[in-house]
mmCIF file with all atom_site columns, all heavy atoms in Angstrom:
data_model
loop_
_atom_site.group_PDB
_atom_site.id
_atom_site.type_symbol
_atom_site.label_atom_id
_atom_site.label_alt_id
_atom_site.label_comp_id
_atom_site.label_asym_id
_atom_site.label_entity_id
_atom_site.label_seq_id
_atom_site.pdbx_PDB_ins_code
_atom_site.Cartn_x
_atom_site.Cartn_y
_atom_site.Cartn_z
_atom_site.occupancy
_atom_site.B_iso_or_equiv
_atom_site.pdbx_formal_charge
_atom_site.auth_seq_id
_atom_site.auth_comp_id
_atom_site.auth_asym_id
_atom_site.auth_atom_id
_atom_site.pdbx_PDB_model_num
ATOM 1   N N   . GLN A 1 1  ? -11.672 83.079 -2.212  1.00 95.00 ? 40 GLN A N   1
ATOM 2   C CA  . GLN A 1 1  ? -10.845 84.131 -1.615  1.00 95.00 ? 40 GLN A CA  1
ATOM 3   C C   . GLN A 1 1  ? -10.376 83.767 -0.212  1.00 95.00 ? 40 GLN A C   1
ATOM 4   O O   . GLN A 1 1  ? -9.292  84.162 0.194   1.00 95.00 ? 40 GLN A O   1
ATOM 5   C CB  . GLN A 1 1  ? -11.639 85.440 -1.512  1.00 95.00 ? 40 GLN A CB  1
ATOM 6   C CG  . GLN A 1 1  ? -11.964 86.074 -2.824  1.00 95.00 ? 40 GLN A CG  1
ATOM 7   C CD  . GLN A 1 1  ? -12.868 87.300 -2.661  1.00 95.00 ? 40 GLN A CD  1
ATOM 8   O OE1 . GLN A 1 1  ? -13.233 87.687 -1.552  1.00 95.00 ? 40 GLN A OE1 1
ATOM 9   N NE2 . GLN A 1 1  ? -13.215 87.912 -3.766  1.00 95.00 ? 40 GLN A NE2 1
ATOM 10  N N   . ARG A 1 2  ? -11.195 83.056 0.533   1.00 92.00 ? 41 ARG A N   1
ATOM 11  C CA  . ARG A 1 2  ? -10.930 82.770 1.947   1.00 92.00 ? 41 ARG A CA  1
ATOM 12  C C   . ARG A 1 2  ? -11.215 81.303 2.227   1.00 92.00 ? 41 ARG A C   1
ATOM 13  O O   . ARG A 1 2  ? -12.079 80.977 3.048   1.00 92.00 ? 41 ARG A O   1
ATOM 14  C CB  . ARG A 1 2  ? -11.816 83.640 2.834   1.00 92.00 ? 41 ARG A CB  1
ATOM 15  C CG  . ARG A 1 2  ? -11.633 85.119 2.592   1.00 92.00 ? 41 ARG A CG  1
ATOM 16  C CD  . ARG A 1 2  ? -12.779 85.882 3.215   1.00 92.00 ? 41 ARG A CD  1
ATOM 17  N NE  . ARG A 1 2  ? -12.689 87.293 2.938   1.00 92.00 ? 41 ARG A NE  1
ATOM 18  C CZ  . ARG A 1 2  ? -12.588 88.229 3.868   1.00 92.00 ? 41 ARG A CZ  1
ATOM 19  N NH1 . ARG A 1 2  ? -12.561 87.893 5.131   1.00 92.00 ? 41 ARG A NH1 1
ATOM 20  N NH2 . ARG A 1 2  ? -12.524 89.487 3.532   1.00 92.00 ? 41 ARG A NH2 1
ATOM 21  N N   . GLY A 1 3  ? -10.500 80.456 1.560   1.00 81.00 ? 42 GLY A N   1
ATOM 22  C CA  . GLY A 1 3  ? -10.742 79.022 1.612   1.00 81.00 ? 42 GLY A CA  1
ATOM 23  C C   . GLY A 1 3  ? -10.747 78.388 2.983   1.00 81.00 ? 42 GLY A C   1
ATOM 24  O O   . GLY A 1 3  ? -11.375 77.355 3.188   1.00 81.00 ? 42 GLY A O   1
ATOM 25  N N   . ASP A 1 4  ? -10.068 78.983 3.940   1.00 89.00 ? 43 ASP A N   1
ATOM 26  C CA  . ASP A 1 4  ? -9.983  78.370 5.263   1.00 89.00 ? 43 ASP A CA  1
ATOM 27  C C   . ASP A 1 4  ? -11.096 78.821 6.205   1.00 89.00 ? 43 ASP A C   1
ATOM 28  O O   . ASP A 1 4  ? -11.174 78.379 7.339   1.00 89.00 ? 43 ASP A O   1
ATOM 29  C CB  . ASP A 1 4  ? -8.623  78.688 5.895   1.00 89.00 ? 43 ASP A CB  1
ATOM 30  C CG  . ASP A 1 4  ? -8.384  80.184 6.045   1.00 89.00 ? 43 ASP A CG  1
ATOM 31  O OD1 . ASP A 1 4  ? -9.022  80.975 5.330   1.00 89.00 ? 43 ASP A OD1 1
ATOM 32  O OD2 . ASP A 1 4  ? -7.536  80.548 6.880   1.00 89.00 ? 43 ASP A OD2 1
ATOM 33  N N   . ALA A 1 5  ? -11.987 79.667 5.746   1.00 94.00 ? 44 ALA A N   1
ATOM 34  C CA  . ALA A 1 5  ? -13.036 80.226 6.605   1.00 94.00 ? 44 ALA A CA  1
ATOM 35  C C   . ALA A 1 5  ? -14.237 79.294 6.706   1.00 94.00 ? 44 ALA A C   1
ATOM 36  O O   . ALA A 1 5  ? -14.569 78.572 5.769   1.00 94.00 ? 44 ALA A O   1
ATOM 37  C CB  . ALA A 1 5  ? -13.484 81.581 6.069   1.00 94.00 ? 44 ALA A CB  1
ATOM 38  N N   . ASP A 1 6  ? -14.881 79.326 7.869   1.00 95.00 ? 45 ASP A N   1
ATOM 39  C CA  . ASP A 1 6  ? -16.184 78.689 8.052   1.00 95.00 ? 45 ASP A CA  1
ATOM 40  C C   . ASP A 1 6  ? -17.210 79.788 7.823   1.00 95.00 ? 45 ASP A C   1
ATOM 41  O O   . ASP A 1 6  ? -17.194 80.808 8.509   1.00 95.00 ? 45 ASP A O   1
ATOM 42  C CB  . ASP A 1 6  ? -16.332 78.134 9.472   1.00 95.00 ? 45 ASP A CB  1
ATOM 43  C CG  . ASP A 1 6  ? -15.433 76.937 9.721   1.00 95.00 ? 45 ASP A CG  1
ATOM 44  O OD1 . ASP A 1 6  ? -15.201 76.153 8.783   1.00 95.00 ? 45 ASP A OD1 1
ATOM 45  O OD2 . ASP A 1 6  ? -14.976 76.789 10.866  1.00 95.00 ? 45 ASP A OD2 1
ATOM 46  N N   . PHE A 1 7  ? -18.099 79.593 6.857   1.00 97.00 ? 46 PHE A N   1
ATOM 47  C CA  . PHE A 1 7  ? -19.038 80.646 6.493   1.00 97.00 ? 46 PHE A CA  1
ATOM 48  C C   . PHE A 1 7  ? -20.395 80.481 7.164   1.00 97.00 ? 46 PHE A C   1
ATOM 49  O O   . PHE A 1 7  ? -20.919 79.377 7.264   1.00 97.00 ? 46 PHE A O   1
ATOM 50  C CB  . PHE A 1 7  ? -19.228 80.694 4.974   1.00 97.00 ? 46 PHE A CB  1
ATOM 51  C CG  . PHE A 1 7  ? -18.033 81.222 4.246   1.00 97.00 ? 46 PHE A CG  1
ATOM 52  C CD1 . PHE A 1 7  ? -17.155 80.369 3.613   1.00 97.00 ? 46 PHE A CD1 1
ATOM 53  C CD2 . PHE A 1 7  ? -17.779 82.581 4.214   1.00 97.00 ? 46 PHE A CD2 1
ATOM 54  C CE1 . PHE A 1 7  ? -16.036 80.853 2.955   1.00 97.00 ? 46 PHE A CE1 1
ATOM 55  C CE2 . PHE A 1 7  ? -16.664 83.090 3.562   1.00 97.00 ? 46 PHE A CE2 1
ATOM 56  C CZ  . PHE A 1 7  ? -15.797 82.219 2.935   1.00 97.00 ? 46 PHE A CZ  1
ATOM 57  N N   . PHE A 1 8  ? -20.914 81.603 7.598   1.00 97.00 ? 47 PHE A N   1
ATOM 58  C CA  . PHE A 1 8  ? -22.284 81.742 8.058   1.00 97.00 ? 47 PHE A CA  1
ATOM 59  C C   . PHE A 1 8  ? -22.901 82.737 7.094   1.00 97.00 ? 47 PHE A C   1
ATOM 60  O O   . PHE A 1 8  ? -22.315 83.782 6.833   1.00 97.00 ? 47 PHE A O   1
ATOM 61  C CB  . PHE A 1 8  ? -22.329 82.306 9.484   1.00 97.00 ? 47 PHE A CB  1
ATOM 62  C CG  . PHE A 1 8  ? -21.922 81.324 10.540  1.00 97.00 ? 47 PHE A CG  1
ATOM 63  C CD1 . PHE A 1 8  ? -20.610 80.900 10.651  1.00 97.00 ? 47 PHE A CD1 1
ATOM 64  C CD2 . PHE A 1 8  ? -22.870 80.832 11.426  1.00 97.00 ? 47 PHE A CD2 1
ATOM 65  C CE1 . PHE A 1 8  ? -20.230 80.000 11.620  1.00 97.00 ? 47 PHE A CE1 1
ATOM 66  C CE2 . PHE A 1 8  ? -22.499 79.935 12.408  1.00 97.00 ? 47 PHE A CE2 1
ATOM 67  C CZ  . PHE A 1 8  ? -21.172 79.513 12.512  1.00 97.00 ? 47 PHE A CZ  1
ATOM 68  N N   . PHE A 1 9  ? -24.065 82.426 6.559   1.00 97.00 ? 48 PHE A N   1
ATOM 69  C CA  . PHE A 1 9  ? -24.712 83.336 5.623   1.00 97.00 ? 48 PHE A CA  1
ATOM 70  C C   . PHE A 1 9  ? -25.926 83.931 6.308   1.00 97.00 ? 48 PHE A C   1
ATOM 71  O O   . PHE A 1 9  ? -26.876 83.222 6.638   1.00 97.00 ? 48 PHE A O   1
ATOM 72  C CB  . PHE A 1 9  ? -25.117 82.618 4.335   1.00 97.00 ? 48 PHE A CB  1
ATOM 73  C CG  . PHE A 1 9  ? -25.530 83.557 3.239   1.00 97.00 ? 48 PHE A CG  1
ATOM 74  C CD1 . PHE A 1 9  ? -24.592 84.063 2.356   1.00 97.00 ? 48 PHE A CD1 1
ATOM 75  C CD2 . PHE A 1 9  ? -26.851 83.954 3.107   1.00 97.00 ? 48 PHE A CD2 1
ATOM 76  C CE1 . PHE A 1 9  ? -24.958 84.945 1.347   1.00 97.00 ? 48 PHE A CE1 1
ATOM 77  C CE2 . PHE A 1 9  ? -27.231 84.830 2.104   1.00 97.00 ? 48 PHE A CE2 1
ATOM 78  C CZ  . PHE A 1 9  ? -26.281 85.334 1.224   1.00 97.00 ? 48 PHE A CZ  1
ATOM 79  N N   . ILE A 1 10 ? -25.896 85.232 6.528   1.00 96.00 ? 49 ILE A N   1
ATOM 80  C CA  . ILE A 1 10 ? -26.971 85.935 7.215   1.00 96.00 ? 49 ILE A CA  1
ATOM 81  C C   . ILE A 1 10 ? -27.934 86.482 6.166   1.00 96.00 ? 49 ILE A C   1
ATOM 82  O O   . ILE A 1 10 ? -27.521 87.172 5.237   1.00 96.00 ? 49 ILE A O   1
ATOM 83  C CB  . ILE A 1 10 ? -26.416 87.100 8.065   1.00 96.00 ? 49 ILE A CB  1
ATOM 84  C CG1 . ILE A 1 10 ? -25.322 86.608 9.011   1.00 96.00 ? 49 ILE A CG1 1
ATOM 85  C CG2 . ILE A 1 10 ? -27.540 87.793 8.825   1.00 96.00 ? 49 ILE A CG2 1
ATOM 86  C CD1 . ILE A 1 10 ? -24.489 87.729 9.644   1.00 96.00 ? 49 ILE A CD1 1
ATOM 87  N N   . THR A 1 11 ? -29.200 86.177 6.343   1.00 92.00 ? 50 THR A N   1
ATOM 88  C CA  . THR A 1 11 ? -30.213 86.645 5.405   1.00 92.00 ? 50 THR A CA  1
ATOM 89  C C   . THR A 1 11 ? -31.518 86.860 6.143   1.00 92.00 ? 50 THR A C   1
ATOM 90  O O   . THR A 1 11 ? -31.683 86.412 7.277   1.00 92.00 ? 50 THR A O   1
ATOM 91  C CB  . THR A 1 11 ? -30.394 85.639 4.238   1.00 92.00 ? 50 THR A CB  1
ATOM 92  O OG1 . THR A 1 11 ? -31.231 86.215 3.245   1.00 92.00 ? 50 THR A OG1 1
ATOM 93  C CG2 . THR A 1 11 ? -30.969 84.322 4.711   1.00 92.00 ? 50 THR A CG2 1
ATOM 94  N N   . GLY A 1 12 ? -32.438 87.530 5.510   1.00 86.00 ? 51 GLY A N   1
ATOM 95  C CA  . GLY A 1 12 ? -33.744 87.738 6.107   1.00 86.00 ? 51 GLY A CA  1
ATOM 96  C C   . GLY A 1 12 ? -34.519 86.437 6.192   1.00 86.00 ? 51 GLY A C   1
ATOM 97  O O   . GLY A 1 12 ? -34.358 85.539 5.361   1.00 86.00 ? 51 GLY A O   1
ATOM 98  N N   . ALA A 1 13 ? -35.372 86.353 7.210   1.00 82.00 ? 52 ALA A N   1
ATOM 99  C CA  . ALA A 1 13 ? -36.172 85.152 7.401   1.00 82.00 ? 52 ALA A CA  1
ATOM 100 C C   . ALA A 1 13 ? -37.051 84.866 6.194   1.00 82.00 ? 52 ALA A C   1
ATOM 101 O O   . ALA A 1 13 ? -37.231 83.711 5.808   1.00 82.00 ? 52 ALA A O   1
ATOM 102 C CB  . ALA A 1 13 ? -37.019 85.297 8.660   1.00 82.00 ? 52 ALA A CB  1
ATOM 103 N N   . ASP A 1 14 ? -37.580 85.919 5.572   1.00 80.00 ? 53 ASP A N   1
ATOM 104 C CA  . ASP A 1 14 ? -38.434 85.725 4.402   1.00 80.00 ? 53 ASP A CA  1
ATOM 105 C C   . ASP A 1 14 ? -37.656 85.055 3.270   1.00 80.00 ? 53 ASP A C   1
ATOM 106 O O   . ASP A 1 14 ? -38.175 84.187 2.575   1.00 80.00 ? 53 ASP A O   1
ATOM 107 C CB  . ASP A 1 14 ? -39.047 87.040 3.949   1.00 80.00 ? 53 ASP A CB  1
ATOM 108 C CG  . ASP A 1 14 ? -38.019 88.141 3.722   1.00 80.00 ? 53 ASP A CG  1
ATOM 109 O OD1 . ASP A 1 14 ? -36.893 88.034 4.235   1.00 80.00 ? 53 ASP A OD1 1
ATOM 110 O OD2 . ASP A 1 14 ? -38.352 89.121 3.029   1.00 80.00 ? 53 ASP A OD2 1
ATOM 111 N N   . ALA A 1 15 ? -36.408 85.439 3.100   1.00 84.00 ? 54 ALA A N   1
ATOM 112 C CA  . ALA A 1 15 ? -35.573 84.813 2.069   1.00 84.00 ? 54 ALA A CA  1
ATOM 113 C C   . ALA A 1 15 ? -35.256 83.367 2.444   1.00 84.00 ? 54 ALA A C   1
ATOM 114 O O   . ALA A 1 15 ? -35.283 82.473 1.589   1.00 84.00 ? 54 ALA A O   1
ATOM 115 C CB  . ALA A 1 15 ? -34.289 85.603 1.873   1.00 84.00 ? 54 ALA A CB  1
ATOM 116 N N   . LEU A 1 16 ? -34.962 83.138 3.711   1.00 86.00 ? 55 LEU A N   1
ATOM 117 C CA  . LEU A 1 16 ? -34.606 81.791 4.160   1.00 86.00 ? 55 LEU A CA  1
ATOM 118 C C   . LEU A 1 16 ? -35.758 80.813 3.931   1.00 86.00 ? 55 LEU A C   1
ATOM 119 O O   . LEU A 1 16 ? -35.534 79.652 3.595   1.00 86.00 ? 55 LEU A O   1
ATOM 120 C CB  . LEU A 1 16 ? -34.205 81.811 5.637   1.00 86.00 ? 55 LEU A CB  1
ATOM 121 C CG  . LEU A 1 16 ? -33.610 80.521 6.185   1.00 86.00 ? 55 LEU A CG  1
ATOM 122 C CD1 . LEU A 1 16 ? -32.335 80.149 5.436   1.00 86.00 ? 55 LEU A CD1 1
ATOM 123 C CD2 . LEU A 1 16 ? -33.318 80.665 7.666   1.00 86.00 ? 55 LEU A CD2 1
ATOM 124 N N   . GLU A 1 17 ? -36.979 81.293 4.067   1.00 83.00 ? 56 GLU A N   1
ATOM 125 C CA  . GLU A 1 17 ? -38.135 80.420 3.835   1.00 83.00 ? 56 GLU A CA  1
ATOM 126 C C   . GLU A 1 17 ? -38.192 79.928 2.391   1.00 83.00 ? 56 GLU A C   1
ATOM 127 O O   . GLU A 1 17 ? -38.809 78.915 2.109   1.00 83.00 ? 56 GLU A O   1
ATOM 128 C CB  . GLU A 1 17 ? -39.436 81.152 4.188   1.00 83.00 ? 56 GLU A CB  1
ATOM 129 C CG  . GLU A 1 17 ? -39.616 81.321 5.682   1.00 83.00 ? 56 GLU A CG  1
ATOM 130 C CD  . GLU A 1 17 ? -40.872 82.077 6.049   1.00 83.00 ? 56 GLU A CD  1
ATOM 131 O OE1 . GLU A 1 17 ? -41.202 83.073 5.366   1.00 83.00 ? 56 GLU A OE1 1
ATOM 132 O OE2 . GLU A 1 17 ? -41.511 81.679 7.032   1.00 83.00 ? 56 GLU A OE2 1
ATOM 133 N N   . GLN A 1 18 ? -37.519 80.644 1.479   1.00 86.00 ? 57 GLN A N   1
ATOM 134 C CA  . GLN A 1 18 ? -37.533 80.287 0.060   1.00 86.00 ? 57 GLN A CA  1
ATOM 135 C C   . GLN A 1 18 ? -36.274 79.555 -0.388  1.00 86.00 ? 57 GLN A C   1
ATOM 136 O O   . GLN A 1 18 ? -36.109 79.267 -1.573  1.00 86.00 ? 57 GLN A O   1
ATOM 137 C CB  . GLN A 1 18 ? -37.689 81.567 -0.787  1.00 86.00 ? 57 GLN A CB  1
ATOM 138 C CG  . GLN A 1 18 ? -38.914 82.395 -0.454  1.00 86.00 ? 57 GLN A CG  1
ATOM 139 C CD  . GLN A 1 18 ? -40.191 81.628 -0.693  1.00 86.00 ? 57 GLN A CD  1
ATOM 140 O OE1 . GLN A 1 18 ? -40.334 80.929 -1.684  1.00 86.00 ? 57 GLN A OE1 1
ATOM 141 N NE2 . GLN A 1 18 ? -41.131 81.740 0.242   1.00 86.00 ? 57 GLN A NE2 1
ATOM 142 N N   . ILE A 1 19 ? -35.381 79.235 0.537   1.00 89.00 ? 58 ILE A N   1
ATOM 143 C CA  . ILE A 1 19 ? -34.038 78.752 0.174   1.00 89.00 ? 58 ILE A CA  1
ATOM 144 C C   . ILE A 1 19 ? -34.053 77.498 -0.699  1.00 89.00 ? 58 ILE A C   1
ATOM 145 O O   . ILE A 1 19 ? -33.184 77.331 -1.557  1.00 89.00 ? 58 ILE A O   1
ATOM 146 C CB  . ILE A 1 19 ? -33.151 78.561 1.423   1.00 89.00 ? 58 ILE A CB  1
ATOM 147 C CG1 . ILE A 1 19 ? -31.682 78.438 1.018   1.00 89.00 ? 58 ILE A CG1 1
ATOM 148 C CG2 . ILE A 1 19 ? -33.626 77.383 2.251   1.00 89.00 ? 58 ILE A CG2 1
ATOM 149 C CD1 . ILE A 1 19 ? -30.708 78.505 2.182   1.00 89.00 ? 58 ILE A CD1 1
ATOM 150 N N   . LEU A 1 20 ? -35.024 76.643 -0.513  1.00 88.00 ? 59 LEU A N   1
ATOM 151 C CA  . LEU A 1 20 ? -35.043 75.413 -1.304  1.00 88.00 ? 59 LEU A CA  1
ATOM 152 C C   . LEU A 1 20 ? -35.349 75.678 -2.782  1.00 88.00 ? 59 LEU A C   1
ATOM 153 O O   . LEU A 1 20 ? -35.145 74.800 -3.624  1.00 88.00 ? 59 LEU A O   1
ATOM 154 C CB  . LEU A 1 20 ? -36.033 74.406 -0.721  1.00 88.00 ? 59 LEU A CB  1
ATOM 155 C CG  . LEU A 1 20 ? -35.648 73.883 0.668   1.00 88.00 ? 59 LEU A CG  1
ATOM 156 C CD1 . LEU A 1 20 ? -36.713 72.936 1.201   1.00 88.00 ? 59 LEU A CD1 1
ATOM 157 C CD2 . LEU A 1 20 ? -34.277 73.207 0.654   1.00 88.00 ? 59 LEU A CD2 1
ATOM 158 N N   . THR A 1 21 ? -35.783 76.898 -3.106  1.00 90.00 ? 60 THR A N   1
ATOM 159 C CA  . THR A 1 21 ? -36.036 77.259 -4.508  1.00 90.00 ? 60 THR A CA  1
ATOM 160 C C   . THR A 1 21 ? -34.843 77.983 -5.134  1.00 90.00 ? 60 THR A C   1
ATOM 161 O O   . THR A 1 21 ? -34.881 78.308 -6.316  1.00 90.00 ? 60 THR A O   1
ATOM 162 C CB  . THR A 1 21 ? -37.283 78.169 -4.627  1.00 90.00 ? 60 THR A CB  1
ATOM 163 O OG1 . THR A 1 21 ? -37.013 79.425 -3.996  1.00 90.00 ? 60 THR A OG1 1
ATOM 164 C CG2 . THR A 1 21 ? -38.509 77.520 -4.005  1.00 90.00 ? 60 THR A CG2 1
ATOM 165 N N   . TRP A 1 22 ? -33.796 78.245 -4.352  1.00 92.00 ? 61 TRP A N   1
ATOM 166 C CA  . TRP A 1 22 ? -32.645 78.976 -4.851  1.00 92.00 ? 61 TRP A CA  1
ATOM 167 C C   . TRP A 1 22 ? -31.818 78.111 -5.790  1.00 92.00 ? 61 TRP A C   1
ATOM 168 O O   . TRP A 1 22 ? -31.832 76.877 -5.699  1.00 92.00 ? 61 TRP A O   1
ATOM 169 C CB  . TRP A 1 22 ? -31.751 79.444 -3.703  1.00 92.00 ? 61 TRP A CB  1
ATOM 170 C CG  . TRP A 1 22 ? -32.369 80.470 -2.796  1.00 92.00 ? 61 TRP A CG  1
ATOM 171 C CD1 . TRP A 1 22 ? -33.634 80.975 -2.840  1.00 92.00 ? 61 TRP A CD1 1
ATOM 172 C CD2 . TRP A 1 22 ? -31.744 81.095 -1.683  1.00 92.00 ? 61 TRP A CD2 1
ATOM 173 N NE1 . TRP A 1 22 ? -33.824 81.876 -1.833  1.00 92.00 ? 61 TRP A NE1 1
ATOM 174 C CE2 . TRP A 1 22 ? -32.677 81.972 -1.102  1.00 92.00 ? 61 TRP A CE2 1
ATOM 175 C CE3 . TRP A 1 22 ? -30.476 81.003 -1.119  1.00 92.00 ? 61 TRP A CE3 1
ATOM 176 C CZ2 . TRP A 1 22 ? -32.390 82.751 0.008   1.00 92.00 ? 61 TRP A CZ2 1
ATOM 177 C CZ3 . TRP A 1 22 ? -30.187 81.772 -0.010  1.00 92.00 ? 61 TRP A CZ3 1
ATOM 178 C CH2 . TRP A 1 22 ? -31.131 82.646 0.542   1.00 92.00 ? 61 TRP A CH2 1
ATOM 179 N N   . LYS A 1 23 ? -31.062 78.757 -6.657  1.00 93.00 ? 62 LYS A N   1
ATOM 180 C CA  . LYS A 1 23 ? -30.179 78.063 -7.593  1.00 93.00 ? 62 LYS A CA  1
ATOM 181 C C   . LYS A 1 23 ? -29.219 77.151 -6.824  1.00 93.00 ? 62 LYS A C   1
ATOM 182 O O   . LYS A 1 23 ? -28.583 77.576 -5.848  1.00 93.00 ? 62 LYS A O   1
ATOM 183 C CB  . LYS A 1 23 ? -29.378 79.081 -8.415  1.00 93.00 ? 62 LYS A CB  1
ATOM 184 C CG  . LYS A 1 23 ? -28.423 78.436 -9.401  1.00 93.00 ? 62 LYS A CG  1
ATOM 185 C CD  . LYS A 1 23 ? -27.600 79.464 -10.149 1.00 93.00 ? 62 LYS A CD  1
ATOM 186 C CE  . LYS A 1 23 ? -26.588 78.786 -11.043 1.00 93.00 ? 62 LYS A CE  1
ATOM 187 N NZ  . LYS A 1 23 ? -25.600 79.723 -11.539 1.00 93.00 ? 62 LYS A NZ  1
ATOM 188 N N   . ASP A 1 24 ? -29.100 75.901 -7.253  1.00 94.00 ? 63 ASP A N   1
ATOM 189 C CA  . ASP A 1 24 ? -28.201 74.902 -6.669  1.00 94.00 ? 63 ASP A CA  1
ATOM 190 C C   . ASP A 1 24 ? -28.389 74.793 -5.149  1.00 94.00 ? 63 ASP A C   1
ATOM 191 O O   . ASP A 1 24 ? -27.423 74.676 -4.392  1.00 94.00 ? 63 ASP A O   1
ATOM 192 C CB  . ASP A 1 24 ? -26.741 75.216 -7.003  1.00 94.00 ? 63 ASP A CB  1
ATOM 193 C CG  . ASP A 1 24 ? -26.469 75.169 -8.497  1.00 94.00 ? 63 ASP A CG  1
ATOM 194 O OD1 . ASP A 1 24 ? -27.198 74.451 -9.234  1.00 94.00 ? 63 ASP A OD1 1
ATOM 195 O OD2 . ASP A 1 24 ? -25.539 75.856 -8.952  1.00 94.00 ? 63 ASP A OD2 1
ATOM 196 N N   . ALA A 1 25 ? -29.645 74.823 -4.712  1.00 90.00 ? 64 ALA A N   1
ATOM 197 C CA  . ALA A 1 25 ? -29.965 74.793 -3.283  1.00 90.00 ? 64 ALA A CA  1
ATOM 198 C C   . ALA A 1 25 ? -29.348 73.590 -2.577  1.00 90.00 ? 64 ALA A C   1
ATOM 199 O O   . ALA A 1 25 ? -28.947 73.694 -1.411  1.00 90.00 ? 64 ALA A O   1
ATOM 200 C CB  . ALA A 1 25 ? -31.479 74.793 -3.087  1.00 90.00 ? 64 ALA A CB  1
ATOM 201 N N   . ASP A 1 26 ? -29.234 72.477 -3.285  1.00 87.00 ? 65 ASP A N   1
ATOM 202 C CA  . ASP A 1 26 ? -28.675 71.273 -2.668  1.00 87.00 ? 65 ASP A CA  1
ATOM 203 C C   . ASP A 1 26 ? -27.219 71.451 -2.234  1.00 87.00 ? 65 ASP A C   1
ATOM 204 O O   . ASP A 1 26 ? -26.740 70.769 -1.342  1.00 87.00 ? 65 ASP A O   1
ATOM 205 C CB  . ASP A 1 26 ? -28.797 70.079 -3.616  1.00 87.00 ? 65 ASP A CB  1
ATOM 206 C CG  . ASP A 1 26 ? -28.210 70.347 -4.996  1.00 87.00 ? 65 ASP A CG  1
ATOM 207 O OD1 . ASP A 1 26 ? -28.299 71.495 -5.473  1.00 87.00 ? 65 ASP A OD1 1
ATOM 208 O OD2 . ASP A 1 26 ? -27.660 69.398 -5.589  1.00 87.00 ? 65 ASP A OD2 1
ATOM 209 N N   . GLU A 1 27 ? -26.503 72.397 -2.828  1.00 93.00 ? 66 GLU A N   1
ATOM 210 C CA  . GLU A 1 27 ? -25.101 72.647 -2.474  1.00 93.00 ? 66 GLU A CA  1
ATOM 211 C C   . GLU A 1 27 ? -24.936 73.636 -1.324  1.00 93.00 ? 66 GLU A C   1
ATOM 212 O O   . GLU A 1 27 ? -23.899 73.664 -0.660  1.00 93.00 ? 66 GLU A O   1
ATOM 213 C CB  . GLU A 1 27 ? -24.341 73.209 -3.678  1.00 93.00 ? 66 GLU A CB  1
ATOM 214 C CG  . GLU A 1 27 ? -24.204 72.269 -4.847  1.00 93.00 ? 66 GLU A CG  1
ATOM 215 C CD  . GLU A 1 27 ? -23.461 72.935 -5.996  1.00 93.00 ? 66 GLU A CD  1
ATOM 216 O OE1 . GLU A 1 27 ? -22.480 73.669 -5.735  1.00 93.00 ? 66 GLU A OE1 1
ATOM 217 O OE2 . GLU A 1 27 ? -23.858 72.724 -7.155  1.00 93.00 ? 66 GLU A OE2 1
#
């Protein structure tokens, strides 16, 4: 939708600690 935007993804610290287990985390 917004191809020219630089994205920052805001999330809770508890979720961020689990990010490497998220779907397609490498991307």
Side-chain angles (χ1 to χ4, degrees):
Q40 292 175 1
R41 302 165 184 240
D43 59 338
D45 290 326
F46 289 101
F47 286 69
F48 192 89
I49 307 166
T50 189
D53 53 341
L55 189 60
E56 288 178 319
Q57 304 299 318
I58 195 169
L59 294 177
T60 66
W61 294 3
K62 179 183 176 193
D63 297 334
D65 53 326
E66 295 179 40

